Each structure stands twice: as structure tokens, then as C-alpha cells.
Amino acid sequence: TDCNKAELTGFNLDNELIVDKITQHYVKWRPKVVIEDIVGYRLKVSKQVISTCKFIGELNYRIKSELSLDIEYVTRGKVKKWIFEAFPSLCKERIDTRIAYMDDYGEKNNRKRYRSKDGELRKASFHWVDDRIAIAAMKRLWNIPTPKPGKRNVYGFSSHSWQALAVGSFAVRSEIQLPPLEI
């Protein structure tokens, strides 16, 4: 694909409408479908996680059988690592603040501390990138203004759509092999 001529499109839809929306774009371009993959973790598997796995499976089947398109799966860990590396000052500042807060909280409440064996606060790493940092990075990357309190942002992003934007941004940046950011 010639990325300079490609159209970048994002949309937030009900699950059952996704394949139809991809079909609309498939007429003019060969879309790149990127899905945030679920990986194993140690927590209890909730009904929501099972439902998400079923949805991803159905979407995978329909995209491959009805549209014959390839799908790229991206884990949240890869996206978090990309955000940490692409926006180091934004991430480091927020993560260092959070680590210091959690260490103080642990000290006051006789709980887990966040210090190394040398007694220094732990170093920031991509493991600490959370939804708030991902949102701040996407706002910075795409120049999305923060709305006034009680108002929606200009693009209507909320909860999971921010993570979807991060997954798509990761895929676009790796596709055209752009150098790391520091915006």
C-alpha cells in the first residue's frame, strides 16, 4: 500500500456492523484490519472476557471467509511498549508520579512498597502505561483537544475507542516505519 495515498479511517460501531463497514471501504481500498488480541493472564476469566473472545473469533471468521482479508493481531503489551517508547517524557513523568504515590501509600498503610533493593523508587517501564497515559498519548499524537468538563470530545471517543485508536496508531506507524516520536 502507498501509505501517502491511503485513507486513514476510524469508526466506533456496534459489533454486528463492523464487517459491513469494512465492506464499504473494501470497494475502493484493500483495508488493513488490525485487532487488539487477548492474551493469557493470571486473573479470573470474566464473562466479559469470554464474550470478547467469542466476538474476536466470529470477526476473524467473517473477515477471512467473506472478505478474504488478512488480520493483524496486536497485543496490548505491544501498544503499551510503543507508547512508552514514542512518548518517553509524557510516560516517564506520569509513571514516576504514580510510582511515588503508590510507594507513599504503601508506606502509610503498611503495604507493598515500590522501591528497589537499594531503596530507590522503581524505574518507569512500559508495564506501567495505563489507559490514562494511552489517552494522553493519543491526544498528543492526533492533536485532540481536551473537552470542557461534562462535554464529549470532538470525535466522540470514549472508553474502549481510545485503546482502539492506540492500536490503529501503532499499526499505521509500524506499517510506514516512522521513527520514534517525541511530540
Side-chain angles (χ1 to χ4, degrees), residues 26-180:
Y26 189 46
V27 173
K28 195 170 180 181
W29 297 281
R30 182 155 178 88
K32 178 177 184 176
V33 179
V34 182
I35 297 174
E36 181 183 351
D37 203 2
I38 290 188
V39 294
Y41 56 94
R42 292 185 215 161
L43 301 174
K44 182 179 174 184
V45 178
S46 67
K47 288 181 181 180
Q48 185 179 18
V49 170
I50 292 171
S51 177
T52 300
C53 291
K54 289 176 182 177
F55 168 71
I56 290 173
E58 178 186 349
L59 186 60
N60 177 70
Y61 174 79
R62 290 191 64 202
I63 288 172
K64 287 186 175 188
S65 65
E66 295 174 27
L67 304 176
S68 300
L69 292 173
D70 292 329
I71 300 172
E72 180 181 342
Y73 290 96
V74 177
T75 63
R76 185 167 289 207
K78 283 184 180 179
V79 175
K80 288 167 60 167
K81 189 172 188 311
W82 168 70
I83 288 171
F84 185 77
E85 291 171 352
F87 303 92
S89 61
L90 179 144
C91 292
K92 188 170 176 359
E93 177 185 327
R94 290 169 184 247
I95 292 169
D96 287 345
T97 301
R98 183 167 177 214
I99 291 171
Y101 169 80
M102 292 184 69
D103 184 66
D104 287 345
Y105 182 84
E107 182 180 32
K108 290 176 188 173
N109 295 293
N110 205 18
R111 292 200 172 171
K112 181 178 177 180
R113 300 292 304 275
Y114 292 86
R115 295 192 174 266
S116 67
K117 291 180 181 179
D118 302 340
E120 293 188 28
L121 287 174
R122 289 187 185 170
K123 302 282 186 222
S125 73
F126 77 91
H127 300 289
W128 289 87
V129 173
D130 60 10
D131 288 347
R132 288 181 181 202
I133 293 172
I135 290 169
M138 291 305 96
K139 284 180 177 181
R140 188 172 287 180
L141 177 63
W142 296 103
N143 297 319
I144 300 172
T146 300
K148 293 182 180 181
K151 301 287 184 183
R152 293 183 61 110
N153 71 60
V154 293
Y155 300 109
F157 289 122
S158 62
S159 63
H160 297 296
S161 54
W162 284 108
Q163 186 62 24
L165 179 62
V167 168
S169 300
F170 167 83
V172 167
R173 293 206 51 87
S174 63
E175 174 81 14
I176 56 179
Q177 299 176 345
L178 294 173

